[in-house]
Amino acid sequence: MAPQRPAPPVGARGYGALRVPGLVLAAAVAATSVVATVDPNQPGHYPTCPFLAVTGYYCPGCGSLRALHDLAHGDVVGALARNPLMVLAAGGLLVAFVLWTRRRWRGLPRTWAAPASVLYGLLALVLAFWVLRNVPGWTWLSPA
């Protein structure tokens, strides 16, 4: 008979456990509100991407502010035209935030960490997006 492992320690539960997720949510809402209010499509409101300014090539983040502005105004198609990777990342972060908040509410420990293959896969996705959006003639991946 194998020895039984002790149960993992349970953290704070309920509203007390939601302090950190609440602060993260407040920061995300504040940042999104700024980008929704101050239009990145108007020149002079935000700095130019340094990578684009130096090399003339788009980085994986080019168009992200305009995509977030479009998402904040409910224009998903416009956001996808600006930076489809950012839209996917925003959805993934939203799902991760909900799961994290639910776990904190219930007082459960983290039971899963991303294996190296997932992290390398995400890196490969970003690098492939970076290269493909700079291929001449592939304007559908370039920030509109």
Side-chain angles (χ1 to χ4, degrees), residues 49-80:
C49 172
F51 186 80
L52 178 63
V54 171
T55 66
Y57 293 109
Y58 299 118
C59 77
C62 280
S64 291
L65 282 176
R66 290 179 288 149
L68 182 59
H69 179 79
D70 288 345
L71 282 177
H73 290 277
D75 185 8
V76 177
V77 173
L80 286 168

PDB file of all heavy atoms in Angstrom, residues 49-80:
ATOM      1  N   CYS A  49       6.288  52.394 -33.129  1.00  0.00           N
ATOM      2  CA  CYS A  49       7.000  51.173 -32.750  1.00  0.00           C
ATOM      3  C   CYS A  49       8.491  51.363 -33.053  1.00  0.00           C
ATOM      4  O   CYS A  49       8.857  51.662 -34.195  1.00  0.00           O
ATOM      5  CB  CYS A  49       6.444  49.995 -33.552  1.00  0.00           C
ATOM      6  SG  CYS A  49       7.386  48.473 -33.359  1.00  0.00           S
ATOM      7  N   PRO A  50       9.359  51.192 -32.067  1.00  0.00           N
ATOM      8  CA  PRO A  50      10.790  51.398 -32.310  1.00  0.00           C
ATOM      9  C   PRO A  50      11.359  50.427 -33.347  1.00  0.00           C
ATOM     10  O   PRO A  50      12.208  50.807 -34.153  1.00  0.00           O
ATOM     11  CB  PRO A  50      11.453  51.190 -30.949  1.00  0.00           C
ATOM     12  CG  PRO A  50      10.370  51.052 -29.962  1.00  0.00           C
ATOM     13  CD  PRO A  50       9.074  50.886 -30.675  1.00  0.00           C
ATOM     14  N   PHE A  51      10.892  49.179 -33.338  1.00  0.00           N
ATOM     15  CA  PHE A  51      11.389  48.198 -34.310  1.00  0.00           C
ATOM     16  C   PHE A  51      11.003  48.617 -35.724  1.00  0.00           C
ATOM     17  O   PHE A  51      11.822  48.557 -36.643  1.00  0.00           O
ATOM     18  CB  PHE A  51      10.846  46.803 -33.988  1.00  0.00           C
ATOM     19  CG  PHE A  51      11.423  45.724 -34.847  1.00  0.00           C
ATOM     20  CD1 PHE A  51      12.671  45.194 -34.575  1.00  0.00           C
ATOM     21  CD2 PHE A  51      10.730  45.239 -35.945  1.00  0.00           C
ATOM     22  CE1 PHE A  51      13.213  44.202 -35.375  1.00  0.00           C
ATOM     23  CE2 PHE A  51      11.260  44.258 -36.756  1.00  0.00           C
ATOM     24  CZ  PHE A  51      12.507  43.734 -36.466  1.00  0.00           C
ATOM     25  N   LEU A  52       9.764  49.064 -35.905  1.00  0.00           N
ATOM     26  CA  LEU A  52       9.303  49.523 -37.213  1.00  0.00           C
ATOM     27  C   LEU A  52      10.061  50.777 -37.641  1.00  0.00           C
ATOM     28  O   LEU A  52      10.448  50.908 -38.808  1.00  0.00           O
ATOM     29  CB  LEU A  52       7.799  49.799 -37.176  1.00  0.00           C
ATOM     30  CG  LEU A  52       7.153  50.343 -38.444  1.00  0.00           C
ATOM     31  CD1 LEU A  52       7.278  49.328 -39.586  1.00  0.00           C
ATOM     32  CD2 LEU A  52       5.708  50.693 -38.202  1.00  0.00           C
ATOM     33  N   ALA A  53      10.290  51.695 -36.711  1.00  0.00           N
ATOM     34  CA  ALA A  53      10.997  52.931 -37.046  1.00  0.00           C
ATOM     35  C   ALA A  53      12.439  52.670 -37.478  1.00  0.00           C
ATOM     36  O   ALA A  53      12.946  53.325 -38.381  1.00  0.00           O
ATOM     37  CB  ALA A  53      10.969  53.876 -35.844  1.00  0.00           C
ATOM     38  N   VAL A  54      13.090  51.705 -36.859  1.00  0.00           N
ATOM     39  CA  VAL A  54      14.497  51.435 -37.159  1.00  0.00           C
ATOM     40  C   VAL A  54      14.660  50.546 -38.389  1.00  0.00           C
ATOM     41  O   VAL A  54      15.523  50.794 -39.235  1.00  0.00           O
ATOM     42  CB  VAL A  54      15.199  50.798 -35.930  1.00  0.00           C
ATOM     43  CG1 VAL A  54      16.587  50.304 -36.272  1.00  0.00           C
ATOM     44  CG2 VAL A  54      15.259  51.794 -34.793  1.00  0.00           C
ATOM     45  N   THR A  55      13.825  49.508 -38.506  1.00  0.00           N
ATOM     46  CA  THR A  55      14.033  48.516 -39.567  1.00  0.00           C
ATOM     47  C   THR A  55      13.077  48.647 -40.740  1.00  0.00           C
ATOM     48  O   THR A  55      13.377  48.162 -41.824  1.00  0.00           O
ATOM     49  CB  THR A  55      13.883  47.090 -39.006  1.00  0.00           C
ATOM     50  OG1 THR A  55      12.536  46.897 -38.592  1.00  0.00           O
ATOM     51  CG2 THR A  55      14.838  46.846 -37.845  1.00  0.00           C
ATOM     52  N   GLY A  56      11.911  49.218 -40.519  1.00  0.00           N
ATOM     53  CA  GLY A  56      10.900  49.272 -41.565  1.00  0.00           C
ATOM     54  C   GLY A  56      10.060  48.011 -41.647  1.00  0.00           C
ATOM     55  O   GLY A  56       9.200  47.881 -42.522  1.00  0.00           O
ATOM     56  N   TYR A  57      10.284  47.065 -40.745  1.00  0.00           N
ATOM     57  CA  TYR A  57       9.518  45.821 -40.701  1.00  0.00           C
ATOM     58  C   TYR A  57       8.570  45.847 -39.507  1.00  0.00           C
ATOM     59  O   TYR A  57       8.848  46.452 -38.480  1.00  0.00           O
ATOM     60  CB  TYR A  57      10.442  44.606 -40.578  1.00  0.00           C
ATOM     61  CG  TYR A  57      11.288  44.364 -41.787  1.00  0.00           C
ATOM     62  CD1 TYR A  57      12.655  44.603 -41.769  1.00  0.00           C
ATOM     63  CD2 TYR A  57      10.728  43.885 -42.961  1.00  0.00           C
ATOM     64  CE1 TYR A  57      13.437  44.379 -42.880  1.00  0.00           C
ATOM     65  CE2 TYR A  57      11.496  43.663 -44.085  1.00  0.00           C
ATOM     66  CZ  TYR A  57      12.857  43.912 -44.036  1.00  0.00           C
ATOM     67  OH  TYR A  57      13.622  43.699 -45.150  1.00  0.00           O
ATOM     68  N   TYR A  58       7.440  45.137 -39.665  1.00  0.00           N
ATOM     69  CA  TYR A  58       6.476  45.037 -38.567  1.00  0.00           C
ATOM     70  C   TYR A  58       6.946  44.017 -37.540  1.00  0.00           C
ATOM     71  O   TYR A  58       7.415  42.942 -37.886  1.00  0.00           O
ATOM     72  CB  TYR A  58       5.101  44.614 -39.094  1.00  0.00           C
ATOM     73  CG  TYR A  58       4.497  45.573 -40.086  1.00  0.00           C
ATOM     74  CD1 TYR A  58       4.226  45.179 -41.383  1.00  0.00           C
ATOM     75  CD2 TYR A  58       4.186  46.870 -39.716  1.00  0.00           C
ATOM     76  CE1 TYR A  58       3.666  46.054 -42.293  1.00  0.00           C
ATOM     77  CE2 TYR A  58       3.631  47.758 -40.617  1.00  0.00           C
ATOM     78  CZ  TYR A  58       3.375  47.346 -41.906  1.00  0.00           C
ATOM     79  OH  TYR A  58       2.828  48.203 -42.797  1.00  0.00           O
ATOM     80  N   CYS A  59       6.777  44.360 -36.272  1.00  0.00           N
ATOM     81  CA  CYS A  59       7.053  43.390 -35.201  1.00  0.00           C
ATOM     82  C   CYS A  59       5.740  42.669 -34.875  1.00  0.00           C
ATOM     83  O   CYS A  59       4.679  43.060 -35.357  1.00  0.00           O
ATOM     84  CB  CYS A  59       7.621  44.103 -33.977  1.00  0.00           C
ATOM     85  SG  CYS A  59       6.412  44.996 -32.981  1.00  0.00           S
ATOM     86  N   PRO A  60       5.759  41.627 -34.037  1.00  0.00           N
ATOM     87  CA  PRO A  60       4.509  40.931 -33.712  1.00  0.00           C
ATOM     88  C   PRO A  60       3.498  41.812 -32.981  1.00  0.00           C
ATOM     89  O   PRO A  60       2.308  41.542 -33.002  1.00  0.00           O
ATOM     90  CB  PRO A  60       4.956  39.784 -32.813  1.00  0.00           C
ATOM     91  CG  PRO A  60       6.388  39.598 -33.077  1.00  0.00           C
ATOM     92  CD  PRO A  60       6.924  40.932 -33.502  1.00  0.00           C
ATOM     93  N   GLY A  61       3.962  42.876 -32.365  1.00  0.00           N
ATOM     94  CA  GLY A  61       3.056  43.741 -31.621  1.00  0.00           C
ATOM     95  C   GLY A  61       2.519  44.921 -32.409  1.00  0.00           C
ATOM     96  O   GLY A  61       1.629  45.621 -31.930  1.00  0.00           O
ATOM     97  N   CYS A  62       3.043  45.158 -33.605  1.00  0.00           N
ATOM     98  CA  CYS A  62       2.581  46.306 -34.394  1.00  0.00           C
ATOM     99  C   CYS A  62       1.074  46.188 -34.652  1.00  0.00           C
ATOM    100  O   CYS A  62       0.597  45.156 -35.101  1.00  0.00           O
ATOM    101  CB  CYS A  62       3.334  46.392 -35.716  1.00  0.00           C
ATOM    102  SG  CYS A  62       4.965  47.126 -35.578  1.00  0.00           S
ATOM    103  N   GLY A  63       0.368  47.249 -34.364  1.00  0.00           N
ATOM    104  CA  GLY A  63      -1.080  47.275 -34.549  1.00  0.00           C
ATOM    105  C   GLY A  63      -1.851  46.855 -33.309  1.00  0.00           C
ATOM    106  O   GLY A  63      -3.085  46.871 -33.319  1.00  0.00           O
ATOM    107  N   SER A  64      -1.162  46.495 -32.229  1.00  0.00           N
ATOM    108  CA  SER A  64      -1.859  46.013 -31.030  1.00  0.00           C
ATOM    109  C   SER A  64      -2.680  47.099 -30.356  1.00  0.00           C
ATOM    110  O   SER A  64      -3.792  46.830 -29.878  1.00  0.00           O
ATOM    111  CB  SER A  64      -0.859  45.433 -30.024  1.00  0.00           C
ATOM    112  OG  SER A  64      -0.309  44.251 -30.510  1.00  0.00           O
ATOM    113  N   LEU A  65      -2.153  48.321 -30.279  1.00  0.00           N
ATOM    114  CA  LEU A  65      -2.937  49.386 -29.656  1.00  0.00           C
ATOM    115  C   LEU A  65      -4.197  49.677 -30.455  1.00  0.00           C
ATOM    116  O   LEU A  65      -5.283  49.853 -29.899  1.00  0.00           O
ATOM    117  CB  LEU A  65      -2.096  50.665 -29.538  1.00  0.00           C
ATOM    118  CG  LEU A  65      -1.079  50.701 -28.408  1.00  0.00           C
ATOM    119  CD1 LEU A  65      -0.260  51.977 -28.488  1.00  0.00           C
ATOM    120  CD2 LEU A  65      -1.762  50.591 -27.072  1.00  0.00           C
ATOM    121  N   ARG A  66      -4.066  49.708 -31.777  1.00  0.00           N
ATOM    122  CA  ARG A  66      -5.247  49.959 -32.608  1.00  0.00           C
ATOM    123  C   ARG A  66      -6.221  48.789 -32.531  1.00  0.00           C
ATOM    124  O   ARG A  66      -7.431  48.977 -32.552  1.00  0.00           O
ATOM    125  CB  ARG A  66      -4.820  50.236 -34.049  1.00  0.00           C
ATOM    126  CG  ARG A  66      -4.108  51.593 -34.151  1.00  0.00           C
ATOM    127  CD  ARG A  66      -3.643  51.905 -35.546  1.00  0.00           C
ATOM    128  NE  ARG A  66      -2.511  51.045 -35.857  1.00  0.00           N
ATOM    129  CZ  ARG A  66      -2.229  50.620 -37.077  1.00  0.00           C
ATOM    130  NH1 ARG A  66      -2.981  50.940 -38.099  1.00  0.00           N
ATOM    131  NH2 ARG A  66      -1.175  49.866 -37.273  1.00  0.00           N
ATOM    132  N   ALA A  67      -5.686  47.566 -32.413  1.00  0.00           N
ATOM    133  CA  ALA A  67      -6.567  46.400 -32.261  1.00  0.00           C
ATOM    134  C   ALA A  67      -7.304  46.456 -30.919  1.00  0.00           C
ATOM    135  O   ALA A  67      -8.504  46.161 -30.849  1.00  0.00           O
ATOM    136  CB  ALA A  67      -5.757  45.112 -32.371  1.00  0.00           C
ATOM    137  N   LEU A  68      -6.602  46.839 -29.853  1.00  0.00           N
ATOM    138  CA  LEU A  68      -7.252  46.965 -28.546  1.00  0.00           C
ATOM    139  C   LEU A  68      -8.297  48.074 -28.574  1.00  0.00           C
ATOM    140  O   LEU A  68      -9.382  47.934 -27.998  1.00  0.00           O
ATOM    141  CB  LEU A  68      -6.214  47.236 -27.456  1.00  0.00           C
ATOM    142  CG  LEU A  68      -6.741  47.346 -26.029  1.00  0.00           C
ATOM    143  CD1 LEU A  68      -7.448  46.062 -25.616  1.00  0.00           C
ATOM    144  CD2 LEU A  68      -5.619  47.676 -25.077  1.00  0.00           C
ATOM    145  N   HIS A  69      -7.991  49.170 -29.263  1.00  0.00           N
ATOM    146  CA  HIS A  69      -8.964  50.253 -29.421  1.00  0.00           C
ATOM    147  C   HIS A  69     -10.219  49.742 -30.138  1.00  0.00           C
ATOM    148  O   HIS A  69     -11.349  50.030 -29.715  1.00  0.00           O
ATOM    149  CB  HIS A  69      -8.320  51.400 -30.207  1.00  0.00           C
ATOM    150  CG  HIS A  69      -9.233  52.554 -30.459  1.00  0.00           C
ATOM    151  ND1 HIS A  69      -9.510  53.509 -29.505  1.00  0.00           N
ATOM    152  CD2 HIS A  69      -9.942  52.909 -31.553  1.00  0.00           C
ATOM    153  CE1 HIS A  69     -10.348  54.403 -30.004  1.00  0.00           C
ATOM    154  NE2 HIS A  69     -10.625  54.056 -31.253  1.00  0.00           N
ATOM    155  N   ASP A  70     -10.013  48.974 -31.204  1.00  0.00           N
ATOM    156  CA  ASP A  70     -11.153  48.410 -31.925  1.00  0.00           C
ATOM    157  C   ASP A  70     -11.950  47.438 -31.055  1.00  0.00           C
ATOM    158  O   ASP A  70     -13.180  47.446 -31.066  1.00  0.00           O
ATOM    159  CB  ASP A  70     -10.685  47.710 -33.201  1.00  0.00           C
ATOM    160  CG  ASP A  70     -10.232  48.691 -34.275  1.00  0.00           C
ATOM    161  OD1 ASP A  70     -10.544  49.894 -34.163  1.00  0.00           O
ATOM    162  OD2 ASP A  70      -9.564  48.250 -35.225  1.00  0.00           O
ATOM    163  N   LEU A  71     -11.245  46.580 -30.302  1.00  0.00           N
ATOM    164  CA  LEU A  71     -11.944  45.643 -29.406  1.00  0.00           C
ATOM    165  C   LEU A  71     -12.752  46.391 -28.345  1.00  0.00           C
ATOM    166  O   LEU A  71     -13.868  45.985 -28.003  1.00  0.00           O
ATOM    167  CB  LEU A  71     -10.952  44.697 -28.737  1.00  0.00           C
ATOM    168  CG  LEU A  71     -10.423  43.545 -29.566  1.00  0.00           C
ATOM    169  CD1 LEU A  71      -9.397  42.748 -28.764  1.00  0.00           C
ATOM    170  CD2 LEU A  71     -11.539  42.641 -30.038  1.00  0.00           C
ATOM    171  N   ALA A  72     -12.175  47.463 -27.815  1.00  0.00           N
ATOM    172  CA  ALA A  72     -12.878  48.234 -26.782  1.00  0.00           C
ATOM    173  C   ALA A  72     -14.145  48.876 -27.334  1.00  0.00           C
ATOM    174  O   ALA A  72     -15.082  49.150 -26.577  1.00  0.00           O
ATOM    175  CB  ALA A  72     -11.951  49.299 -26.205  1.00  0.00           C
ATOM    176  N   HIS A  73     -14.182  49.093 -28.638  1.00  0.00           N
ATOM    177  CA  HIS A  73     -15.375  49.663 -29.266  1.00  0.00           C
ATOM    178  C   HIS A  73     -16.233  48.593 -29.935  1.00  0.00           C
ATOM    179  O   HIS A  73     -17.158  48.919 -30.678  1.00  0.00           O
ATOM    180  CB  HIS A  73     -14.966  50.733 -30.285  1.00  0.00           C
ATOM    181  CG  HIS A  73     -14.420  51.964 -29.629  1.00  0.00           C
ATOM    182  ND1 HIS A  73     -15.227  52.960 -29.134  1.00  0.00           N
ATOM    183  CD2 HIS A  73     -13.145  52.343 -29.349  1.00  0.00           C
ATOM    184  CE1 HIS A  73     -14.484  53.899 -28.600  1.00  0.00           C
ATOM    185  NE2 HIS A  73     -13.217  53.554 -28.704  1.00  0.00           N
ATOM    186  N   GLY A  74     -15.913  47.309 -29.700  1.00  0.00           N
ATOM    187  CA  GLY A  74     -16.736  46.215 -30.205  1.00  0.00           C
ATOM    188  C   GLY A  74     -16.495  45.841 -31.652  1.00  0.00           C
ATOM    189  O   GLY A  74     -17.275  45.075 -32.218  1.00  0.00           O
ATOM    190  N   ASP A  75     -15.429  46.336 -32.263  1.00  0.00           N
ATOM    191  CA  ASP A  75     -15.131  46.056 -33.668  1.00  0.00           C
ATOM    192  C   ASP A  75     -14.120  44.903 -33.761  1.00  0.00           C
ATOM    193  O   ASP A  75     -12.922  45.124 -33.901  1.00  0.00           O
ATOM    194  CB  ASP A  75     -14.580  47.309 -34.344  1.00  0.00           C
ATOM    195  CG  ASP A  75     -14.357  47.122 -35.831  1.00  0.00           C
ATOM    196  OD1 ASP A  75     -14.757  46.084 -36.378  1.00  0.00           O
ATOM    197  OD2 ASP A  75     -13.764  48.042 -36.442  1.00  0.00           O
ATOM    198  N   VAL A  76     -14.613  43.677 -33.683  1.00  0.00           N
ATOM    199  CA  VAL A  76     -13.730  42.504 -33.702  1.00  0.00           C
ATOM    200  C   VAL A  76     -13.067  42.336 -35.073  1.00  0.00           C
ATOM    201  O   VAL A  76     -11.890  42.007 -35.156  1.00  0.00           O
ATOM    202  CB  VAL A  76     -14.510  41.224 -33.312  1.00  0.00           C
ATOM    203  CG1 VAL A  76     -13.628  39.995 -33.394  1.00  0.00           C
ATOM    204  CG2 VAL A  76     -15.090  41.374 -31.918  1.00  0.00           C
ATOM    205  N   VAL A  77     -13.809  42.588 -36.141  1.00  0.00           N
ATOM    206  CA  VAL A  77     -13.256  42.454 -37.491  1.00  0.00           C
ATOM    207  C   VAL A  77     -12.119  43.453 -37.694  1.00  0.00           C
ATOM    208  O   VAL A  77     -11.060  43.120 -38.239  1.00  0.00           O
ATOM    209  CB  VAL A  77     -14.355  42.619 -38.567  1.00  0.00           C
ATOM    210  CG1 VAL A  77     -13.774  42.640 -39.960  1.00  0.00           C
ATOM    211  CG2 VAL A  77     -15.385  41.516 -38.427  1.00  0.00           C
ATOM    212  N   GLY A  78     -12.314  44.679 -37.246  1.00  0.00           N
ATOM    213  CA  GLY A  78     -11.255  45.686 -37.339  1.00  0.00           C
ATOM    214  C   GLY A  78     -10.042  45.300 -36.520  1.00  0.00           C
ATOM    215  O   GLY A  78      -8.897  45.498 -36.945  1.00  0.00           O
ATOM    216  N   ALA A  79     -10.272  44.742 -35.326  1.00  0.00           N
ATOM    217  CA  ALA A  79      -9.159  44.309 -34.476  1.00  0.00           C
ATOM    218  C   ALA A  79      -8.377  43.175 -35.135  1.00  0.00           C
ATOM    219  O   ALA A  79      -7.142  43.156 -35.086  1.00  0.00           O
ATOM    220  CB  ALA A  79      -9.678  43.871 -33.111  1.00  0.00           C
ATOM    221  N   LEU A  80      -9.083  42.248 -35.762  1.00  0.00           N
ATOM    222  CA  LEU A  80      -8.404  41.152 -36.460  1.00  0.00           C
ATOM    223  C   LEU A  80      -7.595  41.669 -37.639  1.00  0.00           C
ATOM    224  O   LEU A  80      -6.544  41.111 -37.963  1.00  0.00           O
ATOM    225  CB  LEU A  80      -9.411  40.106 -36.923  1.00  0.00           C
ATOM    226  CG  LEU A  80      -9.987  39.216 -35.827  1.00  0.00           C
ATOM    227  CD1 LEU A  80     -11.173  38.424 -36.357  1.00  0.00           C
ATOM    228  CD2 LEU A  80      -8.928  38.299 -35.260  1.00  0.00           C
TER     229      LEU A  80
END
